[in-house]
């Protein structure tokens, strides 16, 4: 994946969930069964992977992002770019969005590989 410096050198853009259709769509696919690893309940042209976490707020001196869920998705307007979304652990309606220029094709390959590995099991 992109080195952390790709998106730590510049500030992400804080957006409310209502401004992010891909993330709104991903909310519909969160499995209710915590043992489920994979849920295919959405049908659209969007390409994304969302990792569901419990809220994490780093302690003093920890060099890590506070977050709830993380999502990487292809820019719906430009397949060449991807985005990393970091859900605010204290306000889950707010996401910090980071552009990952030229990572769209890479993300498509990673998602294809994940689907192949999970479907083959």
């Amino acid at each position: 994946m992109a080195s952390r410096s790709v998106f730590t050198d510049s500030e992400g853009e804080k957006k409310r969930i209502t401004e992010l259709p891909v993330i709104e769509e991903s909310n519909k696919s969160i499995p209710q069964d915590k043992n489920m690893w994979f849920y295919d309940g959405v049908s659209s042209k969007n390409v994304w992977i969302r990792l569901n976490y419990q809220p994490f707020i780093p302690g003093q001196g920890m060099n890590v992002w506070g977050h709830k869920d993380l999502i990487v998705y292809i820019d719906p307007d430009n397949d060449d770019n991807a985005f990393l979304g970091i859900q605010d652990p204290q306000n889950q309606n707010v996401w910090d969005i980071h552009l990952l220029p030229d990572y769209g094709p890479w993300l498509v390959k990673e998602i294809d590989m994940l689907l192949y590995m999970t479907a083959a099991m």
Side-chain angles (χ1 to χ4, degrees), residues 37-38 109-121:
W37 195 66
F38 182 104
K109 290 177 188 174
E110 292 295 314
I111 291 173
D112 285 347
M113 187 169 43
L114 174 65
L115 290 173
Y116 177 75
M117 291 183 331
T118 57
M121 293 181 160

Side-chain angles (χ1 to χ4, degrees), residues 9 23 33 49 59 71 95 102 114-115:
D9 292 342
I23 295 176
D33 179 355
I49 293 179
I71 190 169
W95 289 75
D102 301 322
L114 174 65
L115 290 173

Side-chain angles (χ1 to χ4, degrees), residues 17 22-40 48-56 67-72 84-87 92 95 114:
I17 196 167
V22 173
I23 295 176
E24 277 190 313
E25 174 183 294
S26 74
N27 276 344
K28 297 174 187 168
S29 72
I30 295 173
Q32 300 306 311
D33 179 355
K34 298 294 181 196
N35 294 320
M36 275 183 94
W37 195 66
F38 182 104
Y39 177 72
D40 179 22
W48 49 269
I49 293 179
R50 181 169 175 168
L51 304 173
N52 300 311
Y53 292 102
Q54 295 298 318
F56 173 75
H67 65 85
K68 167 116 175 37
D69 293 353
L70 303 173
I71 190 169
V72 285
L84 169 67
I86 304 164
Q87 190 176 28
Q92 295 177 19
W95 289 75
L114 174 65

